[in-house]
Amino acid sequence: MKQICKLLILFFFFGNITAQQIDDVDFKSVRANLNLSSELEQVDGMYTVEFKVLRDIDSLFLDAKNIQLTSQVSEYSGIARDFNNIVEERSIKAQIKDGKLWFYDDFKAGTRMALRFTYSASPKKAIYFVDDQIWTQGQGKFTSHWLPSIDDVNDKIKFDLAITAQYPNSALANGRLVKKERFGDLTKWTYSMQQPMSSYLVALVIGNYSKKTETSKSGIPLEYYYYPEDSLKVEPTYRHTKVMFDFLEEEIGFPYPWQNYKQVPVKDFLYSGMENTSLTIFSDSYVVDSIGYNDKNYVTVNAHEMAHQWFGNLVTATSGEHHWLQEGFATYYALLAERDIFGDDHYYWQLFKNAQELIAQEEAGESTSLLNPKSSSTTFYKKGAWALHVLREKVGDSAFKAGVSSYLVKHQFATVETMDFISEVEQASNKDLTAFLNAWLVDSKLPEDAMVKSLKQSEFMSDYFSVDCQLYNEKCDEYVVSDVSDKVKVKVISQMPYQIEASAFQNSLQVRQAISQYVDKIPFQLKTAYESLLNDKSYVTIENALYNLWVNFPQDRVKYLHKTKDIIGFNDHNIRLLWLTLNLNTLEFQPDRKQDALNELIGYSLPQGSFELRMKAFGYLKLLDAFEIRSIESLMAAAQHHNWRFSKYAKELILELETKPVYKTIIDSLKQKQP
């Protein structure tokens, strides 16, 4: 009866997966020889697709959004291994209709066939031409906008790409580089995959990169790409990568399933990172120096995308109802990898922060089932990770790891549903998991009591919960100079920022950063100690301290500006942009160079900068009320940017500027010039 109830529950959420083309044809492999033009933002391809017909049909299709055929479609009686091996060619009737490339013929069950054609595409999504870079993003965007493929994740295909790029650029794709050929100022890079994958995981990157390589304990090449000018940032950016890779292989209990693992940063990426098979693409805002590492680093994103190589790439959820099998698992295993490096306190602290976000979501009335395909990222990622943490506590380490391993072995290079995983853990643990299934996966209500109980197993978290200066009449300032954890000290500072003394500054980087964040009204007796924050190896601390000191001690503004004049900060120039703004508001500092400072600030808002840099520059120009025609023109261009966060910000700021007559005149004039 319990098993019947379980199946009914799952049917309620999962429904029937509609039988589609996968019942008619099994696509085996795709080989594409690609030429890409940054100037035309165009893709031209020579394409071969191999498949097996599963039952008699008169048509089949590939998804092909806004793609045009530039040759006839040819069929081979033998399998074409490359474009020079043409065997018994004959034409096949083909038509592009409603975003699909249809092939019409008398396709007989059991037949293996290969079709060949050339095509051209001018895609508006899924591939992006950003300055001197070209990069892709298939998840949620559909690879079929630039490469004929199958949008259904349930059809896994072996993809081999050959990419021709301008020298000295590098061209990266999934799999192993098997050939590199130079033709004048062009280079052709040929990549080969050994195993199939869903089409959304196909990827390419073209850009000017250097490379550093390590080898995992199991012999897998780990390739770290970087801009040539960022050689000093390679170590802090990719710090702990090999350690995390080795840990995940051992912890998951299934060998890394691909030939190599490459990671490459790109400009103006849509997300933090994307786990394309064997080729993670991530935002270059995570490329940091040794100081930036202390504030914002790539470790968590790195571990998350790495874990996806198993959970999402090796086994892929059949549909949105099971999306937690990808994001929840990647989040959980990233936490485990970080726990291995940073310890138990870090692990429980991250769980606690995730719990806070989930509770806030529930208090806002937005909590949903983990099996609801319309759930938020917070639910899929963080509730999913919590569910796995609690499940492991329930069944024990041994059974949990055995269940995960058998789940991956049984469903490798295939698609999965939630019960595929649950049944393996039930078998490994010899426990019925119906109650767990209902509480954590089916029910939309958050099991807060269970979360608190689990967190309190950590002595560190118990100590953290026990300190609350707002509820208890304690001498909380004593905590800041005691031997308690830094997290407790930060909590105390956040609750009573104006009761700290100079001795509080004799603390770690993290605690000093909290002082810079929460102590914005600086007593004179703390002035000297507070000024020492400008020497910290933290761009966040320096930014906060510079602003707070400038506000609190006007008589020393010139001193503070002199001290910080050469500090840039993160890739978004956080300290430099603040410095320029404070410069423009400090009349006695470099009075004959104010226009230079303003021009530099305006320059950061122009299109050659990253969207994070431009967005921050726009914010300061708004604060200074200093927009002019160049920056407004750049803002209007930003409203059409491919990154939705940036375009949304720009559109809202334009509406705000239009309320001022002087800006509205400029905006109206520029609109008239637009095509």
Side-chain angles (χ1 to χ4, degrees):
M1 178 59 73
K2 287 182 179 178
Q3 188 64 28
I4 293 174
C5 292
K6 197 178 297 182
L7 291 172
L8 288 174
I9 289 169
L10 292 175
F11 180 81
F12 174 79
F13 281 100
F14 302 161
N16 286 312
I17 298 175
T18 304
Q20 298 185 13
Q21 189 173 230
I22 56 175
D23 296 325
D24 299 332
V25 57
D26 179 13
F27 287 100
K28 297 292 187 180
S29 70
V30 165
R31 291 177 295 283
N33 193 337
L34 303 174
N35 289 276
L36 301 98
S37 170
S38 294
E39 293 76 21
L40 300 176
E41 298 190 356
Q42 181 173 305
V43 180
D44 294 298
M46 299 169 57
Y47 191 98
T48 300
V49 57
E50 180 186 342
F51 56 90
K52 180 178 181 180
V53 182
L54 301 179
R55 61 186 185 189
D56 292 352
I57 50 176
D58 58 11
S59 64
L60 56 91
F61 68 84
L62 292 169
D63 290 297
K65 308 286 193 304
N66 298 313
I67 286 175
Q68 297 80 43
L69 285 174
T70 55
S71 74
Q72 67 179 15
V73 176
S74 302
E75 184 264 335
Y76 302 86
S77 58
I79 302 302
R81 292 304 172 194
D82 56 52
F83 282 91
N84 299 314
N85 182 19
I86 300 175
V87 182
E88 297 185 23
E89 181 176 340
R90 73 180 181 93
S91 296
I92 295 289
K93 183 180 178 182
Q95 177 188 23
I96 294 181
K97 181 180 179 182
D98 299 328
K100 296 185 186 298
L101 171 54
W102 286 93
F103 306 103
Y104 303 98
D105 202 64
D106 185 16
F107 298 108
K108 294 296 185 182
T111 305
R112 288 179 69 95
M113 299 180 67
L115 302 181
R116 173 182 181 268
F117 57 89
T118 63
Y119 75 94
S120 180
S122 299
K124 302 301 181 186
K125 62 171 68 174
I127 188 167
Y128 301 89
F129 301 81
V130 183
D131 297 337
D132 61 342
Q133 295 181 354
I134 303 173
W135 48 263
T136 61
Q137 171 56 34
Q139 187 172 42
K141 303 295 178 184
F142 297 127
T143 297
S144 59
H145 282 272
W146 61 274
L147 180 74
S149 48
I150 297 296
D151 293 339
D152 184 353
V153 301
N154 292 280
D155 202 336
K156 294 204 169 193
I157 304 168
K158 178 179 174 290
F159 288 90
D160 298 331
L161 301 185
I163 306 161
T164 300
Q166 285 283 143
Y167 180 83
N169 284 334
S170 299
L172 309 176
N174 314 90
R176 183 172 64 91
L177 178 65
V178 294
K179 189 186 295 185
K180 180 180 175 182
E181 305 167 275
R182 181 82 179 272
F183 306 99
D185 63 346
L186 298 176
T187 304
K188 182 178 179 181
W189 307 66
T190 301
Y191 287 88
S192 175
M193 286 291 293
Q194 291 179 337
Q195 299 291 352
M197 60 182 171
S198 301
S199 297
Y200 77 90
L201 294 166
V202 179
L204 65 81
V205 175
I206 296 175
N208 187 14
Y209 293 100
S210 296
K211 178 180 72 172
K212 177 181 177 180
T213 302
E214 290 188 301
T215 303
S216 75
K217 188 184 295 185
S218 60
I220 299 295
L222 309 176
E223 301 177 11
Y224 314 143
Y225 288 84
Y226 60 95
Y227 305 147
E229 64 271 22
D230 286 340
S231 60
L232 296 179
K233 297 180 178 179
V234 175
E235 191 283 325
T237 297
Y238 290 107
R239 190 174 294 173
H240 305 305
T241 297
K242 180 182 181 301
V243 172
M244 293 191 297
F245 189 96
D246 292 339
F247 169 81
L248 287 175
E249 274 207 303
E250 183 176 348
E251 171 66 27
I252 292 169
F254 188 102
Y256 178 75
W258 317 104
Q259 297 128 294
N260 55 22
Y261 186 51
K262 304 179 287 292
Q263 297 178 81
V264 56
V266 300
K267 179 180 176 182
D268 290 353
F269 196 51
L270 300 175
Y271 312 106
S272 296
M274 176 61 202
E275 68 276 10
N276 311 293
T277 305
S278 78
L279 175 59
T280 284
I281 298 174
F282 66 97
S283 168
D284 64 8
S285 65
Y286 286 100
V287 176
V288 295
D289 59 21
S290 57
I291 296 176
Y293 174 88
N294 297 322
D295 301 308
K296 172 188 177 180
N297 57 60
Y298 178 54
V299 173
T300 297
V301 176
N302 189 346
H304 182 97
E305 309 307 339
M306 192 185 294
H308 268 309
Q309 298 299 321
W310 287 267
F311 305 104
N313 299 9
L314 175 64
V315 292
T316 307
T318 58
S319 60
E321 289 89 341
H322 312 283
H323 191 52
W324 82 283
L325 292 174
Q326 296 178 187
E327 299 302 348
F329 272 73
T331 303
Y332 175 67
Y333 277 92
L335 285 174
L336 294 181
E338 290 186 71
R339 183 184 199 171
D340 180 62
I341 296 168
F342 303 120
D344 284 354
D345 289 357
H346 174 87
Y347 173 76
Y348 279 100
W349 177 252
Q350 296 303 123
L351 282 175
F352 171 62
K353 290 205 303 183
N354 291 349
Q356 286 182 304
E357 192 171 334
L358 288 164
I359 290 169
Q361 180 177 257
E362 181 156 86
E363 289 174 347
E366 299 170 355
S367 184
T368 56
S369 165
L370 199 49
L371 301 178
N372 183 338
K374 296 182 179 180
S375 287
S376 68
S377 294
T378 298
T379 297
F380 285 132
Y381 287 60
K382 295 168 184 179
K383 187 177 181 181
W386 256 103
L388 292 170
H389 167 78
V390 170
L391 177 61
R392 187 172 191 153
E393 287 185 334
K394 179 178 179 63
V395 302
D397 282 356
S398 178
F400 181 85
K401 293 178 72 170
V404 170
S405 178
S406 60
Y407 162 70
L408 294 176
V409 169
K410 184 175 292 186
H411 302 287
Q412 58 185 297
F413 308 111
T415 54
V416 289
E417 299 180 359
T418 295
M419 281 310 300
D420 293 326
F421 169 65
I422 296 297
S423 61
E424 293 303 320
V425 179
E426 284 187 323
Q427 184 171 341
S429 64
N430 197 29
K431 290 185 178 181
D432 180 81
L433 297 178
T434 302
F436 165 82
L437 186 71
N438 288 331
W440 282 95
L441 307 186
V442 176
D443 199 341
S444 61
K445 182 174 174 54
L446 194 65
E448 289 186 41
D449 291 344
M451 297 167 83
V452 172
K453 180 180 178 182
S454 177
L455 287 172
K456 285 186 174 180
Q457 294 181 48
S458 161
E459 182 179 348
F460 153 67
M461 287 308 308
S462 293
D463 290 344
Y464 183 85
F465 290 142
S466 69
V467 176
D468 195 330
C469 303
Q470 296 173 341
L471 294 179
Y472 305 110
N473 185 20
E474 301 181 36
K475 292 184 177 180
C476 287
D477 55 318
E478 295 180 0
Y479 280 107
V480 183
V481 293
S482 69
D483 292 330
V484 299
S485 74
D486 286 347
K487 294 293 191 300
V488 172
K489 294 178 181 180
V490 170
K491 182 178 182 180
V492 169
I493 292 168
S494 71
Q495 293 184 352
M496 45 172 296
Y498 304 117
Q499 297 182 41
I500 67 168
E501 298 179 359
S503 56
F505 289 80
Q506 305 302 313
N507 256 299
S508 70
L509 204 66
Q510 181 182 16
V511 176
R512 287 166 63 86
Q513 187 177 101
I515 293 173
S516 78
Q517 178 182 355
Y518 294 109
V519 183
D520 54 1
K521 297 185 177 80
I522 309 170
F524 186 79
Q525 64 268 26
L526 295 183
K527 179 173 181 286
T528 300
Y530 206 101
E531 287 173 343
S532 72
L533 297 176
L534 293 176
N535 300 317
D536 277 17
K537 293 186 178 301
S538 162
Y539 292 135
V540 171
T541 300
I542 295 171
E543 181 183 9
N544 291 337
L546 173 59
Y547 178 76
N548 290 335
L549 287 165
W550 186 89
V551 169
N552 282 268
F553 305 109
Q555 69 277 13
D556 288 325
R557 287 175 175 175
V558 171
K559 179 178 76 171
Y560 301 139
L561 290 172
H562 270 301
K563 183 173 179 60
T564 56
K565 63 183 175 63
D566 296 323
I567 305 175
I568 301 299
F570 298 118
N571 291 347
D572 66 0
H573 291 37
N574 63 313
I575 296 174
R576 184 62 181 176
L577 293 181
L578 173 63
W579 187 92
L580 289 168
T581 303
L582 298 181
N583 176 339
L584 291 166
N585 281 280
T586 307
L587 299 180
E588 64 273 27
F589 181 74
Q590 299 179 344
D592 57 337
R593 297 176 61 183
K594 295 303 182 192
Q595 190 59 49
D596 291 341
L598 180 58
N599 287 339
E600 183 180 346
L601 180 58
I602 291 170
Y604 291 132
S605 75
L606 301 183
Q608 64 267 24
S610 68
F611 85 85
E612 296 100 336
L613 173 60
R614 294 171 68 193
M615 191 154 62
K616 191 173 285 290
F618 286 141
Y620 280 118
L621 289 171
K622 173 189 170 185
L623 185 67
L624 293 167
D625 198 20
F627 278 95
E628 38 67 78
I629 189 166
R630 289 177 300 161
S631 52
I632 290 178
E633 188 172 23
S634 177
L635 181 64
M636 293 176 69
Q640 307 303 318
H641 198 272
H642 65 265
N643 188 291
W644 68 269
R645 289 170 292 169
F646 187 37
S647 62
K648 181 175 183 288
Y649 172 87
K651 290 172 184 175
E652 292 174 350
L653 184 52
I654 289 170
L655 290 175
E656 192 172 340
L657 294 185
E658 285 181 319
T659 63
K660 298 186 176 184
V662 63
Y663 292 145
K664 182 168 174 44
T665 299
I666 298 174
I667 292 169
D668 288 344
S669 174
L670 291 172
K671 283 181 177 178
Q672 290 176 5
K673 295 179 182 179
Q674 289 179 337

